Structure formats: structure tokens, C-alpha cells
Amino acid sequence: MSDETLNGAAAPADAQQGPTFTVEKLYVKDVSFEAPNAPQVFNEQGQPDLQMKLNQKVQRLAENAFEVSLGITLTCTLNGKTAYLAEVEQAGVFGLGGMDEQLLDAMLGIQCPSILYPYASAAIGQLITAGGFPPFPMQPINFDGLYAETLRQRAAQLGQGDSLADAETAGNA
């Protein structure tokens, strides 16, 4: 009987179809904090200048397993002197299967860093506070917009004679 229903029972494992996405592991891969001008910088007056840099790396671990790393570097200067430099590389192992290359690339470039960002942001905040500085509330990041910009940059590279295989996969930050 091919029309038999399972009456609420789970389908066999090999019957699973369609895309799959799992978060296997989240972890801090690297962390650093420097306050090179402490304690003198605590007496400085003025408006701090904050610069934030993001970077993302993707590494294929197995056919359906990827490590995605999101790096955040936050540099605070005050009156031309570095008050602090906080760096966090938050990483995760993600399982992605049953996807075409375009969907896979989008998931690695949007969904994975969106999951990692709150953890990286919290770690940066803890470092800054532990370093004796006022907290820096990090704003949400639009990874959809960053990914769209990455696609535009890839298209421009392809227009200059490069191949898609040479373009960096899912590097949107």
C-alpha cells in the first residue's frame, strides 16, 4: 500500500528531503583585549572615537559541515591615543545539507553570522567593561545588506574576467 500514512510516526531517516540546517557547536576561537595607555587614559577628557571592523571566514569541514568565524575588532581612541582594542573571533560549526550552491552561499553569508553576532557582541562588551571602560552597546548588523553588497562586489569582479570559483565564498563582512 503506497498510500499508507505513518499515523504520527516519524518518517525513516533516509526519507528526509529538502534543505537541512543545524547548529552543531558555538565557541570563542580567539579573544584579545589591550589598554596600552592605561591607567593614564582613564584621566583623559574628550569624545572617544570608535572604529569597528568585521570579517568573516568560512571553511568546509566535511560535505555538509562548515566552520563559520565572525571576527569583530573594536578600537577606541581618545585624543589620538588608543584607549583600548578589543577583538573577538566567534565561531560555529554548522550543518547544511540539501541546498543548491546559491542557497548554501546565502545561508553561510547571512544566517550563520546572524547567529554568531550576538555572542561576539556580548564577548566584546564583557571585555570592555572588564577593562574598566564604559560599556559600548553594539548595534544590530544587517547581514542581508552586507551579503547583497558582497554579491555586487563579486559581480564586479566577474566583470573584470575573474571566475565565480575564484570569488571568496560567503565573505560578507
Side-chain angles (χ1 to χ4, degrees), residues 34-38 40-42 44 49 74-86 133:
E34 300 172 31
N37 293 302
Q40 294 82 5
V41 73
F42 296 124
E44 292 280 335
D49 179 34
L74 188 62
T75 305
C76 177
T77 56
L78 187 60
N79 300 327
K81 299 175 188 169
T82 300
Y84 63 81
L85 174 72
F133 296 93

Side-chain angles (χ1 to χ4, degrees), residues 78-143:
L78 187 60
N79 300 327
K81 299 175 188 169
T82 300
Y84 63 81
L85 174 72
E87 296 178 295
V88 169
E89 184 178 357
Q90 182 72 41
V93 175
F94 299 91
L96 294 102
M99 299 178 193
D100 63 29
E101 285 298 315
Q102 188 175 10
L103 178 58
L104 176 65
D105 191 64
M107 292 294 288
L108 292 169
I110 299 169
Q111 189 64 31
C112 295
S114 294
I115 290 170
L116 297 172
Y117 181 73
Y119 295 95
S121 175
I124 288 278
Q126 291 171 349
L127 287 171
I128 292 168
T129 304
F133 296 93
F136 175 68
M138 294 179 62
Q139 299 300 311
I141 293 179
N142 180 353
F143 287 101

Side-chain angles (χ1 to χ4, degrees), residues 157-172:
Q157 282 179 341
L158 290 175
Q160 297 174 356
D162 294 341
S163 71
L164 186 58
D166 294 334
E168 185 174 318
T169 302
N172 67 358

